[in-house]
Amino acid sequence: MSAEAQEIYLRLYDVTVMGIPGLRESLDVSTTYGRVRVYRYGPDDGEPIVLLHGRAGTTVMWEQNIPELASSHPVYAIDVLGEPGRRAQTVPIRSSAEQAVWLNETLAGLGLEKAHVAGVSGGAWLAFNLALHAPERIASLALVEPANVFARFAWRFLLGGFALVPGLPDGVGTRYLQWVAGGVPIEQPAGRLVMAGLRDYRMKLPMPTYGNDDALRRIRLPVLALLGGRSVVHNPLEAARRAQTLLPDNQTELWPDAGHGLPAEFPEEFNARLLKFVAERSVR
């Protein structure tokens, strides 16, 4: 990302983050791989919920979810290291194990001995990956449309990614993201931010490793798996089947009218479902 593009991006980012309702605290956590930006919302006490966004989504992708979730829980929204946002990666991340290290160090730096971790898409993969490497840090997992976990990436999704190649008209990339998001308006500030991040920022992160059968069986934590019936990222029926049959402790749901952007498509329903799951899995 050029200096000019970065300045434009960060101006849009700051304005959009400020638009999320509720009091927030900006925290910077040092890890082996760089400085991670975290936004804290909600009360001082209660069981914490950690949110991990999808590719290039930043904390902004949770703008319709944070106010309700933070009404009863401290909420920590993490800007993923190695992606656009106000974070500063200083060391290359080359493996799934290293992905787990920086995230585990972030939670430790926040003083979170155990938290309910929820992620969408690539953020759901990060949550799943953390559960494989540091399960003691997690009270429960909410995996929403996880990328390359329950089902492999669909070829049409991977091929469609060429729509984001620099030099193509913005409209091409916008239509692709609209298709992936299942109809969530890309013209909104949050959508423009994602588009800018994907178009202008060069991410050098390892491909999410596939959740093979043995890996899924190793997840002994309670898991809420939410899948969109209209998802174009993977085969939703296959994803639901594997989650239901391989995860030892799961609540798997296929939402027929939802796409890959489920939390933004159905914010009220998603918020209520996540809060119900967290309440059921209280560690107190």
Side-chain angles (χ1 to χ4, degrees), residues 24-84:
R24 70 184 181 284
E25 180 182 6
S26 299
L27 306 167
D28 289 315
V29 181
S30 295
T31 75
T32 299
Y33 297 90
R35 188 185 73 247
V36 178
R37 169 59 61 89
V38 183
Y39 295 97
R40 186 192 185 285
Y41 299 81
D44 293 331
D45 57 359
E47 295 189 11
I49 295 175
V50 171
L51 300 177
L52 297 169
H53 62 77
R55 181 57 61 95
T58 75
T59 291
V60 169
M61 73 148 290
W62 299 106
E63 62 179 345
Q64 296 187 73
N65 311 113
I66 287 174
E68 179 62 25
L69 300 178
S71 66
S72 53
H73 291 266
V75 171
Y76 295 83
I78 296 176
D79 274 1
V80 171
L81 201 59
E83 298 194 14

Short mmCIF file of all heavy atoms in Angstrom, two decimals, residues 24-84:
data_model
loop_
_atom_site.label_atom_id
_atom_site.label_comp_id
_atom_site.label_asym_id
_atom_site.label_seq_id
_atom_site.Cartn_x
_atom_site.Cartn_y
_atom_site.Cartn_z
N ARG A 24 -15.89 3.11 23.74
CA ARG A 24 -14.85 2.15 23.38
C ARG A 24 -13.51 2.61 23.93
O ARG A 24 -13.28 3.79 24.19
CB ARG A 24 -14.76 1.99 21.87
CG ARG A 24 -14.19 3.21 21.17
CD ARG A 24 -14.21 3.06 19.66
NE ARG A 24 -13.65 4.23 19.02
CZ ARG A 24 -14.28 5.39 18.89
NH1 ARG A 24 -15.52 5.49 19.34
NH2 ARG A 24 -13.71 6.42 18.31
N GLU A 25 -12.63 1.64 24.07
CA GLU A 25 -11.26 1.90 24.48
C GLU A 25 -10.35 1.29 23.44
O GLU A 25 -10.50 0.13 23.08
CB GLU A 25 -11.01 1.29 25.86
CG GLU A 25 -9.61 1.49 26.39
CD GLU A 25 -9.38 0.82 27.73
OE1 GLU A 25 -10.30 0.10 28.18
OE2 GLU A 25 -8.30 0.98 28.30
N SER A 26 -9.41 2.07 22.94
CA SER A 26 -8.45 1.56 21.95
C SER A 26 -7.22 1.03 22.68
O SER A 26 -6.63 1.74 23.49
CB SER A 26 -8.03 2.67 20.98
OG SER A 26 -9.16 3.17 20.28
N LEU A 27 -6.86 -0.20 22.39
CA LEU A 27 -5.73 -0.85 23.05
C LEU A 27 -4.75 -1.35 22.00
O LEU A 27 -5.16 -1.87 20.95
CB LEU A 27 -6.21 -2.02 23.90
CG LEU A 27 -7.30 -1.72 24.94
CD1 LEU A 27 -7.91 -3.02 25.47
CD2 LEU A 27 -6.73 -0.90 26.08
N ASP A 28 -3.48 -1.20 22.26
CA ASP A 28 -2.44 -1.75 21.39
C ASP A 28 -1.65 -2.79 22.18
O ASP A 28 -1.10 -2.47 23.24
CB ASP A 28 -1.51 -0.66 20.87
CG ASP A 28 -2.18 0.23 19.85
OD1 ASP A 28 -2.86 -0.31 18.96
OD2 ASP A 28 -2.05 1.46 19.94
N VAL A 29 -1.61 -4.01 21.67
CA VAL A 29 -0.98 -5.12 22.37
C VAL A 29 0.25 -5.57 21.58
O VAL A 29 0.16 -5.86 20.38
CB VAL A 29 -1.95 -6.30 22.53
CG1 VAL A 29 -1.28 -7.45 23.28
CG2 VAL A 29 -3.22 -5.85 23.25
N SER A 30 1.39 -5.63 22.26
CA SER A 30 2.62 -6.08 21.62
C SER A 30 2.70 -7.60 21.60
O SER A 30 2.43 -8.26 22.61
CB SER A 30 3.84 -5.52 22.35
OG SER A 30 3.88 -4.11 22.26
N THR A 31 3.05 -8.16 20.45
CA THR A 31 3.23 -9.60 20.30
C THR A 31 4.55 -9.86 19.59
O THR A 31 5.22 -8.93 19.11
CB THR A 31 2.09 -10.24 19.49
OG1 THR A 31 2.27 -9.92 18.10
CG2 THR A 31 0.73 -9.75 19.95
N THR A 32 4.91 -11.13 19.48
CA THR A 32 6.14 -11.51 18.79
C THR A 32 6.15 -11.03 17.35
O THR A 32 7.20 -10.71 16.80
CB THR A 32 6.29 -13.05 18.80
OG1 THR A 32 6.35 -13.49 20.16
CG2 THR A 32 7.54 -13.50 18.07
N TYR A 33 4.97 -10.92 16.75
CA TYR A 33 4.88 -10.61 15.33
C TYR A 33 4.45 -9.18 15.03
O TYR A 33 4.28 -8.82 13.87
CB TYR A 33 3.93 -11.61 14.65
CG TYR A 33 4.47 -13.01 14.75
CD1 TYR A 33 4.14 -13.83 15.83
CD2 TYR A 33 5.36 -13.51 13.80
CE1 TYR A 33 4.67 -15.11 15.94
CE2 TYR A 33 5.89 -14.78 13.91
CZ TYR A 33 5.55 -15.58 14.99
OH TYR A 33 6.09 -16.83 15.10
N GLY A 34 4.29 -8.39 16.05
CA GLY A 34 3.94 -6.99 15.83
C GLY A 34 2.90 -6.50 16.83
O GLY A 34 2.52 -7.20 17.77
N ARG A 35 2.46 -5.27 16.60
CA ARG A 35 1.49 -4.62 17.49
C ARG A 35 0.08 -4.83 16.96
O ARG A 35 -0.21 -4.57 15.79
CB ARG A 35 1.78 -3.12 17.57
CG ARG A 35 0.95 -2.38 18.61
CD ARG A 35 1.20 -0.89 18.57
NE ARG A 35 0.59 -0.28 17.39
CZ ARG A 35 1.27 0.26 16.40
NH1 ARG A 35 2.59 0.25 16.40
NH2 ARG A 35 0.65 0.81 15.36
N VAL A 36 -0.79 -5.29 17.83
CA VAL A 36 -2.17 -5.61 17.45
C VAL A 36 -3.11 -4.55 18.03
O VAL A 36 -3.03 -4.23 19.22
CB VAL A 36 -2.58 -7.01 17.97
CG1 VAL A 36 -4.02 -7.32 17.61
CG2 VAL A 36 -1.64 -8.07 17.41
N ARG A 37 -3.99 -4.01 17.20
CA ARG A 37 -4.99 -3.04 17.66
C ARG A 37 -6.26 -3.79 18.07
O ARG A 37 -6.77 -4.63 17.34
CB ARG A 37 -5.31 -2.04 16.55
CG ARG A 37 -6.51 -1.13 16.81
CD ARG A 37 -6.39 -0.27 18.07
NE ARG A 37 -5.27 0.64 18.03
CZ ARG A 37 -5.31 1.87 17.53
NH1 ARG A 37 -6.45 2.34 17.05
NH2 ARG A 37 -4.24 2.63 17.56
N VAL A 38 -6.74 -3.44 19.26
CA VAL A 38 -7.95 -4.04 19.82
C VAL A 38 -8.87 -2.94 20.31
O VAL A 38 -8.41 -1.95 20.90
CB VAL A 38 -7.62 -4.99 21.00
CG1 VAL A 38 -8.89 -5.66 21.52
CG2 VAL A 38 -6.60 -6.04 20.59
N TYR A 39 -10.17 -3.09 20.08
CA TYR A 39 -11.16 -2.14 20.60
C TYR A 39 -12.01 -2.86 21.64
O TYR A 39 -12.55 -3.93 21.38
CB TYR A 39 -12.03 -1.60 19.47
CG TYR A 39 -11.25 -0.78 18.46
CD1 TYR A 39 -10.80 -1.37 17.28
CD2 TYR A 39 -10.93 0.55 18.71
CE1 TYR A 39 -10.06 -0.64 16.36
CE2 TYR A 39 -10.20 1.29 17.80
CZ TYR A 39 -9.77 0.69 16.63
OH TYR A 39 -9.02 1.42 15.73
N ARG A 40 -12.09 -2.22 22.81
CA ARG A 40 -12.86 -2.81 23.90
C ARG A 40 -14.15 -2.03 24.09
O ARG A 40 -14.13 -0.80 24.17
CB ARG A 40 -12.05 -2.79 25.20
CG ARG A 40 -12.74 -3.53 26.35
CD ARG A 40 -12.06 -3.24 27.68
NE ARG A 40 -12.63 -4.02 28.75
CZ ARG A 40 -13.81 -3.76 29.32
NH1 ARG A 40 -14.54 -2.73 28.90
NH2 ARG A 40 -14.27 -4.53 30.31
N TYR A 41 -15.27 -2.74 24.18
CA TYR A 41 -16.59 -2.14 24.38
C TYR A 41 -17.25 -2.82 25.58
O TYR A 41 -16.89 -3.94 25.95
CB TYR A 41 -17.47 -2.32 23.15
CG TYR A 41 -16.97 -1.71 21.88
CD1 TYR A 41 -16.01 -2.35 21.10
CD2 TYR A 41 -17.46 -0.49 21.42
CE1 TYR A 41 -15.54 -1.80 19.91
CE2 TYR A 41 -17.00 0.07 20.24
CZ TYR A 41 -16.05 -0.59 19.49
OH TYR A 41 -15.59 -0.04 18.32
N GLY A 42 -18.27 -2.17 26.12
CA GLY A 42 -19.11 -2.83 27.11
C GLY A 42 -18.67 -2.64 28.54
O GLY A 42 -17.79 -1.83 28.85
N PRO A 43 -19.28 -3.40 29.47
CA PRO A 43 -19.04 -3.24 30.90
C PRO A 43 -17.66 -3.74 31.31
O PRO A 43 -16.96 -4.42 30.55
CB PRO A 43 -20.14 -4.11 31.53
CG PRO A 43 -20.41 -5.16 30.51
CD PRO A 43 -20.26 -4.47 29.18
N ASP A 44 -17.28 -3.39 32.53
CA ASP A 44 -15.98 -3.82 33.06
C ASP A 44 -15.98 -5.28 33.52
O ASP A 44 -14.94 -5.92 33.58
CB ASP A 44 -15.56 -2.93 34.23
CG ASP A 44 -15.27 -1.50 33.78
OD1 ASP A 44 -14.86 -1.32 32.62
OD2 ASP A 44 -15.47 -0.57 34.59
N ASP A 45 -17.17 -5.78 33.87
CA ASP A 45 -17.24 -7.16 34.35
C ASP A 45 -18.10 -8.00 33.41
O ASP A 45 -18.73 -7.49 32.50
CB ASP A 45 -17.78 -7.22 35.78
CG ASP A 45 -19.15 -6.57 35.91
OD1 ASP A 45 -19.66 -6.06 34.88
OD2 ASP A 45 -19.72 -6.58 37.00
N GLY A 46 -18.12 -9.29 33.67
CA GLY A 46 -18.83 -10.21 32.81
C GLY A 46 -17.87 -11.04 31.99
O GLY A 46 -16.67 -10.74 31.90
N GLU A 47 -18.38 -12.11 31.40
CA GLU A 47 -17.53 -12.99 30.62
C GLU A 47 -17.22 -12.35 29.26
O GLU A 47 -18.14 -11.97 28.52
CB GLU A 47 -18.21 -14.35 30.44
CG GLU A 47 -18.37 -15.08 31.76
CD GLU A 47 -18.83 -16.51 31.58
OE1 GLU A 47 -18.83 -17.00 30.44
OE2 GLU A 47 -19.20 -17.14 32.60
N PRO A 48 -15.96 -12.25 28.91
CA PRO A 48 -15.58 -11.53 27.69
C PRO A 48 -15.90 -12.30 26.41
O PRO A 48 -15.81 -13.53 26.36
CB PRO A 48 -14.08 -11.33 27.85
CG PRO A 48 -13.64 -12.45 28.74
CD PRO A 48 -14.79 -12.70 29.67
N ILE A 49 -16.26 -11.53 25.40
CA ILE A 49 -16.45 -12.07 24.05
C ILE A 49 -15.39 -11.44 23.16
O ILE A 49 -15.23 -10.21 23.13
CB ILE A 49 -17.85 -11.74 23.50
CG1 ILE A 49 -18.94 -12.43 24.33
CG2 ILE A 49 -17.96 -12.16 22.03
CD1 ILE A 49 -20.35 -12.05 23.92
N VAL A 50 -14.65 -12.26 22.45
CA VAL A 50 -13.63 -11.80 21.51
C VAL A 50 -14.16 -11.99 20.10
O VAL A 50 -14.66 -13.06 19.74
CB VAL A 50 -12.31 -12.59 21.70
CG1 VAL A 50 -11.33 -12.26 20.58
CG2 VAL A 50 -11.70 -12.27 23.05
N LEU A 51 -14.05 -10.94 19.27
CA LEU A 51 -14.54 -10.98 17.90
C LEU A 51 -13.37 -10.93 16.92
O LEU A 51 -12.48 -10.08 17.03
CB LEU A 51 -15.47 -9.79 17.64
CG LEU A 51 -16.73 -9.68 18.51
CD1 LEU A 51 -17.50 -8.42 18.17
CD2 LEU A 51 -17.61 -10.92 18.35
N LEU A 52 -13.40 -11.82 15.94
CA LEU A 52 -12.37 -11.89 14.91
C LEU A 52 -13.03 -11.74 13.54
O LEU A 52 -13.86 -12.56 13.15
CB LEU A 52 -11.63 -13.24 14.98
CG LEU A 52 -10.86 -13.48 16.29
CD1 LEU A 52 -10.41 -14.94 16.37
CD2 LEU A 52 -9.66 -12.55 16.39
N HIS A 53 -12.67 -10.70 12.83
CA HIS A 53 -13.32 -10.35 11.57
C HIS A 53 -12.84 -11.21 10.41
O HIS A 53 -11.84 -11.92 10.49
CB HIS A 53 -13.09 -8.87 11.25
CG HIS A 53 -11.62 -8.53 11.08
ND1 HIS A 53 -10.92 -8.83 9.94
CD2 HIS A 53 -10.74 -7.90 11.91
CE1 HIS A 53 -9.68 -8.40 10.05
NE2 HIS A 53 -9.53 -7.85 11.24
N GLY A 54 -13.56 -11.09 9.29
CA GLY A 54 -13.17 -11.76 8.05
C GLY A 54 -12.11 -10.97 7.32
O GLY A 54 -11.71 -9.88 7.73
N ARG A 55 -11.65 -11.52 6.20
CA ARG A 55 -10.54 -10.95 5.45
C ARG A 55 -10.77 -9.47 5.11
O ARG A 55 -11.75 -9.10 4.48
CB ARG A 55 -10.30 -11.76 4.16
CG ARG A 55 -9.16 -11.29 3.29
CD ARG A 55 -7.83 -11.26 4.02
NE ARG A 55 -7.39 -12.53 4.54
CZ ARG A 55 -6.54 -13.34 3.89
NH1 ARG A 55 -6.09 -13.04 2.69
NH2 ARG A 55 -6.15 -14.47 4.46
N ALA A 56 -9.85 -8.64 5.61
CA ALA A 56 -9.85 -7.20 5.37
C ALA A 56 -11.04 -6.47 5.99
O ALA A 56 -11.25 -5.30 5.74
CB ALA A 56 -9.77 -6.87 3.87
N GLY A 57 -11.81 -7.17 6.82
CA GLY A 57 -13.02 -6.57 7.38
C GLY A 57 -12.76 -5.58 8.50
O GLY A 57 -13.54 -4.66 8.70
N THR A 58 -11.68 -5.76 9.25
CA THR A 58 -11.36 -4.98 10.44
C THR A 58 -12.52 -5.02 11.43
O THR A 58 -13.57 -5.63 11.18
CB THR A 58 -10.98 -3.52 10.12
OG1 THR A 58 -12.15 -2.77 9.78
CG2 THR A 58 -9.96 -3.42 9.01
N THR A 59 -12.35 -4.33 12.54
CA THR A 59 -13.40 -4.26 13.55
C THR A 59 -14.71 -3.73 12.98
O THR A 59 -15.80 -4.08 13.45
CB THR A 59 -12.93 -3.36 14.71
OG1 THR A 59 -11.87 -4.02 15.40
CG2 THR A 59 -14.05 -3.04 15.68
N VAL A 60 -14.62 -2.94 11.91
CA VAL A 60 -15.79 -2.29 11.33
C VAL A 60 -16.85 -3.29 10.87
O VAL A 60 -18.04 -3.00 10.88
CB VAL A 60 -15.35 -1.38 10.17
CG1 VAL A 60 -16.54 -0.90 9.37
CG2 VAL A 60 -14.55 -0.20 10.70
N MET A 61 -16.44 -4.50 10.49
CA MET A 61 -17.43 -5.46 10.00
C MET A 61 -18.42 -5.87 11.08
O MET A 61 -19.48 -6.41 10.79
CB MET A 61 -16.75 -6.68 9.40
CG MET A 61 -16.13 -7.64 10.39
SD MET A 61 -16.18 -9.37 9.83
CE MET A 61 -17.91 -9.71 9.96
N TRP A 62 -18.08 -5.61 12.36
CA TRP A 62 -18.97 -5.96 13.47
C TRP A 62 -19.84 -4.79 13.92
O TRP A 62 -20.43 -4.84 15.00
CB TRP A 62 -18.14 -6.44 14.67
CG TRP A 62 -17.31 -7.66 14.42
CD1 TRP A 62 -15.95 -7.70 14.24
CD2 TRP A 62 -17.76 -9.02 14.34
NE1 TRP A 62 -15.53 -9.00 14.06
CE2 TRP A 62 -16.62 -9.83 14.12
CE3 TRP A 62 -19.02 -9.62 14.44
CZ2 TRP A 62 -16.70 -11.21 14.00
CZ3 TRP A 62 -19.09 -11.01 14.32
CH2 TRP A 62 -17.95 -11.78 14.10
N GLU A 63 -19.94 -3.74 13.13
CA GLU A 63 -20.61 -2.51 13.57
C GLU A 63 -22.07 -2.74 13.95
O GLU A 63 -22.60 -2.05 14.83
CB GLU A 63 -20.51 -1.42 12.50
CG GLU A 63 -21.18 -1.76 11.18
CD GLU A 63 -21.07 -0.63 10.18
OE1 GLU A 63 -20.73 0.50 10.58
OE2 GLU A 63 -21.31 -0.87 8.98
N GLN A 64 -22.73 -3.70 13.32
CA GLN A 64 -24.14 -3.97 13.64
C GLN A 64 -24.30 -4.98 14.78
O GLN A 64 -25.42 -5.23 15.21
CB GLN A 64 -24.87 -4.49 12.40
CG GLN A 64 -24.95 -3.50 11.26
CD GLN A 64 -25.83 -4.00 10.14
OE1 GLN A 64 -27.06 -4.03 10.26
NE2 GLN A 64 -25.23 -4.43 9.06
N ASN A 65 -23.20 -5.53 15.24
CA ASN A 65 -23.26 -6.57 16.27
C ASN A 65 -22.73 -6.09 17.63
O ASN A 65 -23.23 -6.51 18.67
CB ASN A 65 -22.46 -7.79 15.82
CG ASN A 65 -22.80 -8.24 14.42
OD1 ASN A 65 -21.99 -8.16 13.51
ND2 ASN A 65 -24.03 -8.68 14.22
N ILE A 66 -21.72 -5.24 17.60
CA ILE A 66 -21.06 -4.83 18.85
C ILE A 66 -22.00 -4.19 19.85
O ILE A 66 -21.97 -4.54 21.05
CB ILE A 66 -19.86 -3.90 18.54
CG1 ILE A 66 -18.71 -4.73 17.95
CG2 ILE A 66 -19.40 -3.16 19.78
CD1 ILE A 66 -17.53 -3.91 17.46
N PRO A 67 -22.87 -3.23 19.48
CA PRO A 67 -23.70 -2.58 20.50
C PRO A 67 -24.54 -3.55 21.32
O PRO A 67 -24.60 -3.44 22.55
CB PRO A 67 -24.58 -1.62 19.67
CG PRO A 67 -23.76 -1.31 18.47
CD PRO A 67 -23.05 -2.60 18.15
N GLU A 68 -25.17 -4.52 20.68
CA GLU A 68 -26.01 -5.47 21.41
C GLU A 68 -25.15 -6.44 22.24
O GLU A 68 -25.47 -6.71 23.40
CB GLU A 68 -26.88 -6.26 20.44
CG GLU A 68 -27.77 -7.30 21.10
CD GLU A 68 -28.79 -6.71 22.06
OE1 GLU A 68 -29.15 -5.52 21.90
OE2 GLU A 68 -29.22 -7.42 22.99
N LEU A 69 -24.08 -6.93 21.65
CA LEU A 69 -23.22 -7.86 22.39
C LEU A 69 -22.59 -7.17 23.61
O LEU A 69 -22.46 -7.78 24.68
CB LEU A 69 -22.12 -8.40 21.48
CG LEU A 69 -22.57 -9.18 20.24
CD1 LEU A 69 -21.37 -9.61 19.42
CD2 LEU A 69 -23.42 -10.39 20.63
N ALA A 70 -22.24 -5.91 23.45
CA ALA A 70 -21.58 -5.17 24.53
C ALA A 70 -22.56 -4.65 25.58
O ALA A 70 -22.13 -4.06 26.57
CB ALA A 70 -20.78 -4.00 23.95
N SER A 71 -23.84 -4.87 25.37
CA SER A 71 -24.82 -4.43 26.38
C SER A 71 -24.74 -5.29 27.64
O SER A 71 -25.17 -4.87 28.71
CB SER A 71 -26.23 -4.48 25.80
OG SER A 71 -26.62 -5.82 25.52
N SER A 72 -24.17 -6.50 27.51
CA SER A 72 -24.11 -7.40 28.67
C SER A 72 -22.75 -8.06 28.87
O SER A 72 -22.55 -8.74 29.87
CB SER A 72 -25.17 -8.49 28.53
OG SER A 72 -25.06 -9.17 27.29
N HIS A 73 -21.83 -7.86 27.93
CA HIS A 73 -20.52 -8.48 28.03
C HIS A 73 -19.43 -7.49 27.63
O HIS A 73 -19.64 -6.65 26.74
CB HIS A 73 -20.41 -9.68 27.07
CG HIS A 73 -21.25 -10.85 27.46
ND1 HIS A 73 -20.76 -11.89 28.22
CD2 HIS A 73 -22.55 -11.15 27.20
CE1 HIS A 73 -21.72 -12.79 28.41
NE2 HIS A 73 -22.81 -12.36 27.79
N PRO A 74 -18.25 -7.59 28.24
CA PRO A 74 -17.11 -6.88 27.67
C PRO A 74 -16.77 -7.51 26.32
O PRO A 74 -16.67 -8.75 26.23
CB PRO A 74 -15.99 -7.09 28.70
CG PRO A 74 -16.43 -8.21 29.57
CD PRO A 74 -17.91 -8.32 29.47
N VAL A 75 -16.63 -6.70 25.30
CA VAL A 75 -16.38 -7.18 23.95
C VAL A 75 -15.02 -6.65 23.48
O VAL A 75 -14.74 -5.45 23.58
CB VAL A 75 -17.48 -6.73 22.98
CG1 VAL A 75 -17.11 -7.03 21.54
CG2 VAL A 75 -18.80 -7.40 23.33
N TYR A 76 -14.20 -7.54 22.98
CA TYR A 76 -12.89 -7.19 22.44
C TYR A 76 -12.87 -7.51 20.95
O TYR A 76 -12.91 -8.68 20.56
CB TYR A 76 -11.78 -7.98 23.15
CG TYR A 76 -11.65 -7.65 24.62
CD1 TYR A 76 -12.48 -8.26 25.56
CD2 TYR A 76 -10.69 -6.74 25.07
CE1 TYR A 76 -12.35 -7.96 26.92
CE2 TYR A 76 -10.56 -6.44 26.43
CZ TYR A 76 -11.39 -7.05 27.33
OH TYR A 76 -11.27 -6.77 28.68
N ALA A 77 -12.84 -6.48 20.12
CA ALA A 77 -12.79 -6.65 18.67
C ALA A 77 -11.35 -6.46 18.23
O ALA A 77 -10.77 -5.40 18.44
CB ALA A 77 -13.72 -5.65 17.98
N ILE A 78 -10.78 -7.49 17.63
CA ILE A 78 -9.36 -7.50 17.28
C ILE A 78 -9.19 -7.24 15.78
O ILE A 78 -9.85 -7.87 14.96
CB ILE A 78 -8.74 -8.85 17.64
CG1 ILE A 78 -8.78 -9.06 19.16
CG2 ILE A 78 -7.31 -8.96 17.13
CD1 ILE A 78 -8.26 -10.42 19.61
N ASP A 79 -8.30 -6.30 15.45
CA ASP A 79 -7.89 -6.13 14.06
C ASP A 79 -6.78 -7.14 13.77
O ASP A 79 -5.71 -7.10 14.38
CB ASP A 79 -7.36 -4.70 13.83
CG ASP A 79 -8.47 -3.72 13.51
OD1 ASP A 79 -9.65 -4.13 13.49
OD2 ASP A 79 -8.17 -2.53 13.30
N VAL A 80 -7.06 -8.05 12.87
CA VAL A 80 -6.17 -9.19 12.62
C VAL A 80 -4.81 -8.73 12.11
O VAL A 80 -4.71 -7.90 11.20
CB VAL A 80 -6.84 -10.15 11.63
CG1 VAL A 80 -5.86 -11.23 11.16
CG2 VAL A 80 -8.08 -10.78 12.25
N LEU A 81 -3.77 -9.30 12.69
CA LEU A 81 -2.40 -8.96 12.29
C LEU A 81 -2.12 -9.47 10.88
O LEU A 81 -2.51 -10.59 10.52
CB LEU A 81 -1.41 -9.59 13.28
CG LEU A 81 0.00 -8.98 13.35
CD1 LEU A 81 -0.06 -7.51 13.72
CD2 LEU A 81 0.85 -9.74 14.35
N GLY A 82 -1.47 -8.62 10.09
CA GLY A 82 -1.17 -8.99 8.71
C GLY A 82 -2.22 -8.54 7.72
O GLY A 82 -2.08 -8.78 6.52
N GLU A 83 -3.27 -7.89 8.23
CA GLU A 83 -4.33 -7.39 7.36
C GLU A 83 -4.47 -5.88 7.55
O GLU A 83 -3.87 -5.31 8.46
CB GLU A 83 -5.65 -8.10 7.68
CG GLU A 83 -5.58 -9.60 7.44
CD GLU A 83 -6.95 -10.25 7.43
OE1 GLU A 83 -7.96 -9.52 7.34
OE2 GLU A 83 -7.01 -11.48 7.50
N PRO A 84 -5.26 -5.21 6.71
CA PRO A 84 -5.42 -3.76 6.84
C PRO A 84 -5.99 -3.37 8.21
O PRO A 84 -6.68 -4.15 8.86
CB PRO A 84 -6.40 -3.41 5.72
CG PRO A 84 -6.30 -4.52 4.76
CD PRO A 84 -6.01 -5.74 5.56
#
